[in-house]
Amino acid sequence: MSESNALLEAGEMIAEQLDEIYQLLFERFGPQHWWPGETQFEIITGAILTQNTNWANVEKAIANLKSAGCLTAEGLYRLDLSQLAELIRPAGYYNIKAKRLKNFINRLFDNYAGNLTNLESVDTDKLRVELLAIKGIGHETADSILLYAFNRAVFVVDAYTARVAFRHGLIEPDSDYEQLGELFQSHLPSDTKLFNEYHALLVKVGKEFCRREARCSGCPLEKLPHTPDIEYF
Ligand code: SF4
């Protein structure tokens, strides 16, 4: 077999594995209804606040912002840093997160007249670069914003994604964020609905079974070949 045919065959096998994983997860868990949030701005705020905390804490912070009538670009822009930090206190690391939210808002006002609609026409690669240039917004947050707030076909990678991919031999365990994202993006149809659901299902299986110490018994992916002792935090 030629090298190009072997690569093609390997790619098809990975695509089949990814499809099988998705089907098994969806059959077990059903639709996850991500991302929780009534507006595009709320989704972005949640994506920034959810770093290093659980979602219940984010919901409390978002409820505070809503009660104060500040859950809009204009509302957050007008708050001073200490007021914002106080409102988002339940989300933890509130001083740092207040700065991150302000960094995002300031960039939005400086470059896009404070209007999220002006970001809709920005090409996905450029928008990703813009988001990553904001201090405190990393790959996972940027891609969550792209996928869930702007409906762009970008696969979000997190620790759960990495664990499942490594433990199921889909990619080498030393692969980085970009390589993991590329694994999914290049072997799945470019479909925002699929990427949305797939990421949410990986989080679900990661929380319930594929933890730091894998609990394979009863996991929907148990019947697939896997190596649970690969550690990933
Ligand atoms: S818990 Fe085990 S079977 Fe489930 S995804 Fe992780 S390695 Fe696979």
Side-chain angles (χ1 to χ4, degrees):
M1 189 187 294
S2 72
E3 199 178 324
S4 59
N5 279 349
L7 279 173
L8 200 63
E9 200 170 294
E12 281 169 5
M13 278 177 62
I14 290 174
E16 277 171 23
Q17 281 176 279
L18 289 178
D19 183 55
E20 190 170 13
I21 287 172
Y22 179 80
Q23 298 304 335
L24 288 168
L25 293 178
F26 192 81
E27 272 166 29
R28 171 70 70 86
F29 298 128
Q32 299 298 298
H33 307 293
W34 276 39
W35 181 292
E38 289 170 4
T39 64
Q40 193 178 33
F41 191 78
E42 184 176 332
I43 292 169
I44 294 169
T45 304
I48 293 172
L49 291 179
T50 199
Q51 297 165 350
N52 302 310
T53 193
N54 65 46
W55 187 252
N57 293 333
V58 175
E59 281 180 332
K60 288 178 197 155
I62 284 182
N64 285 349
L65 291 170
K66 274 187 188 166
S67 304
C70 297
L71 194 53
T72 60
E74 189 73 35
L76 288 202
Y77 189 67
R78 285 179 186 206
L79 280 178
D80 70 33
L81 196 59
S82 58
Q83 290 173 310
L84 176 56
E86 199 48 47
L87 286 168
I88 64 165
R89 183 185 273 264
Y93 303 100
Y94 48 93
N95 286 318
I96 294 170
K97 290 180 182 179
K99 280 188 194 144
R100 290 176 180 170
L101 280 171
K102 277 288 187 186
N103 291 342
F104 173 78
I105 292 295
N106 290 339
R107 179 68 67 108
L108 184 65
F109 274 83
D110 288 347
N111 295 355
Y112 298 95
N115 193 339
L116 287 179
T117 312
N118 293 333
L119 291 173
E120 293 290 356
S121 57
V122 180
D123 159 76
T124 300
D125 289 341
K126 186 176 174 215
L127 190 48
R128 190 167 191 259
V129 170
E130 287 258 21
L131 289 167
L132 289 172
I134 299 171
K135 199 166 174 214
I137 294 195
H139 288 96
E140 186 185 337
T141 306
D143 289 345
S144 297
I145 291 171
L146 286 170
L147 177 63
Y148 292 105
F150 290 98
N151 214 29
R152 307 293 176 95
V154 172
F155 202 92
V156 180
V157 170
D158 62 1
Y160 301 121
T161 317
R163 275 190 211 144
V164 174
F166 295 157
R167 289 172 175 168
H168 283 263
L170 296 163
I171 195 166
E172 292 298 318
D174 59 355
S175 302
D176 63 17
Y177 186 99
E178 298 290 349
Q179 290 167 319
L180 279 157
E182 187 57 24
L183 167 76
F184 288 87
Q185 288 190 197
S186 62
H187 293 97
L188 291 171
S190 185
D191 176 348
T192 51
K193 207 163 160 244
L194 173 67
F195 287 4
N196 174 329
E197 198 65 60
Y198 209 141
H199 173 68
L201 288 166
L202 286 170
V203 171
K204 178 85 172 165
V205 76
K207 283 186 174 168
E208 293 199 7
F209 297 98
C210 209
R211 298 178 171 196
R212 193 167 153 185
E213 266 190 44
R215 299 178 179 178
C216 301
S217 177
C219 175
L221 306 184
E222 190 183 5
K223 71 174 191 178
L224 303 179
H226 58 280
T227 313
D229 53 352
I230 294 178
E231 280 201 16
Y232 189 83
F233 303 101

